Amino acid sequence: MKLILLGAPGAGKGTLAKQLQEEFGFLHFSTGEIIRENIKNKTNLGLLAKPLIDSGKLVPDEIIVEVVKDRILNEKQSYILDGFPRTLPQAQALSKFIDIDVVLYLHADNQTLVERLSKRRVCKNKACGAIYNTKTYDKIICKKCGSELYQRDDDKEEVILERFKVYQNQTQPLIDYYNSQEKLIKLEAGGHANDTFAQFKQKVLKGSENWH
Ligand code: AMP
């Protein structure tokens, strides 16, 4: 099964992807993670992306499409695309090389999104990548793997507002795009992560064992 996770920053795409990865063994491709790793390693992509990501802007379509295509084109295992596509041209490019099965649209109200982003802390250990909210966990060490937690630079307040604008203008049109292809399933993602996960099981798996 090939899934896309669509939703505003803070909707819980990364958290749901981790749950799907842990429970069902989906591969998880997060374009944001791939870019952050490239920034850390100072690759050409990282150097190009850093000022964009730091100001809440998107990396150019042609570049991100190539990065994704490279990783998924020959992938046989079930996977999740988290944070891709983010624009109509990206979705159109994707459709030329992959047939997506389901697009999960995670919906939450703006107040919840802002609160989550500003309180989000992420595990520095890439293999773990656990995500916390300081409201429910205010320590600086990851309880899963013991690594340090950090706040993403783009989760600072001034950048959050720009990311919302970019989401509204460039990513929201994808909701209609995938809805018209009858691929969209909406999950209410404003509550606890386990509620969103339960909706996934109910609406997508529908009790079926044969979901691969
Ligand atoms: P995320 O971790 O998904 O919130 O992504 C963080 C940042 O990475 C975004 O604000 C963009 O700057 C960049 N990014 C991630 N995915 C994409 C994409 N599909 N297209 C362009 N830029 C992206």
Side-chain angles (χ1 to χ4, degrees):
M1 187 187 273
K2 301 180 188 82
L3 289 179
I4 288 175
L5 291 184
L6 187 61
K13 301 185 293 295
T15 302
L16 180 62
K18 289 259 163 248
Q19 288 172 304
L20 295 176
Q21 186 180 31
E22 281 165 20
E23 184 136 341
F24 301 115
F26 278 88
L27 298 175
H28 174 201
F29 295 106
S30 155
T31 39
E33 274 302 315
I34 294 169
I35 295 168
R36 282 187 287 280
E37 200 54 26
N38 275 272
I39 292 176
K40 202 167 95 190
N41 296 330
K42 298 196 166 63
T43 65
N44 286 341
L45 169 63
L47 294 174
L48 176 140
K50 184 161 171 41
L52 299 168
I53 210 170
D54 283 352
S55 58
K57 305 258 182 334
L58 296 182
V59 173
D61 290 332
E62 322 74 75
I63 294 178
I64 202 77
V65 166
E66 278 313 303
V67 168
V68 173
K69 190 173 179 181
D70 238 34
R71 300 199 182 211
I72 65 172
L73 193 57
N74 296 315
E75 189 51 68
K76 300 278 178 285
Q77 223 177 303
S78 291
Y79 60 76
I80 305 160
L81 293 177
D82 162 10
F84 180 92
R86 243 176 165 100
T87 66
L88 272 177
Q90 290 179 18
Q92 285 154 351
L94 177 69
S95 72
K96 300 211 167 80
F97 59 92
I98 292 292
D99 194 17
I100 286 294
D101 298 299
V102 174
V103 178
L104 296 174
Y105 166 44
L106 274 58
H107 173 263
D109 65 57
N110 277 356
Q111 204 185 332
T112 305
L113 297 172
V114 175
E115 164 138 346
R116 275 190 195 155
L117 289 175
S118 54
K119 295 193 160 89
R120 174 161 71 181
R121 298 293 181 273
V122 185
C123 177
K124 271 193 173 166
N125 172 7
K126 189 179 166 284
C128 172
I131 302 167
Y132 297 92
N133 184 310
T134 56
K135 210 166 79 176
T136 48
Y137 185 78
D138 65 356
K139 313 226 168 18
I140 54 164
I141 297 297
C142 176
K143 63 180 169 192
K144 286 192 175 166
C145 76
S147 302
E148 210 180 313
L149 303 182
Y150 77 106
Q151 180 177 35
R152 281 170 44 176
D153 283 340
D154 61 345
D155 279 346
K156 311 257 160 77
E157 218 165 301
E158 51 299 356
V159 188
I160 290 176
L161 295 179
E162 179 60 26
R163 287 166 70 203
F164 280 147
K165 260 194 242 160
V166 168
Y167 172 75
Q168 258 173 8
N169 294 334
Q170 307 210 53
T171 310
Q172 256 178 355
L174 294 180
I175 298 170
D176 283 343
Y177 175 81
Y178 284 118
N179 200 22
S180 68
Q181 297 178 15
E182 299 183 354
K183 292 192 170 173
L184 199 81
I185 295 184
K186 183 176 177 181
L187 305 181
E188 281 306 333
H192 193 279
N194 289 342
D195 292 342
T196 315
F197 190 39
Q199 290 172 60
F200 169 82
K201 288 184 184 165
Q202 189 214 334
K203 293 188 176 181
V204 182
L205 302 186
K206 298 182 183 123
S208 157
E209 299 287 312
N210 189 20
W211 55 274
H212 288 92

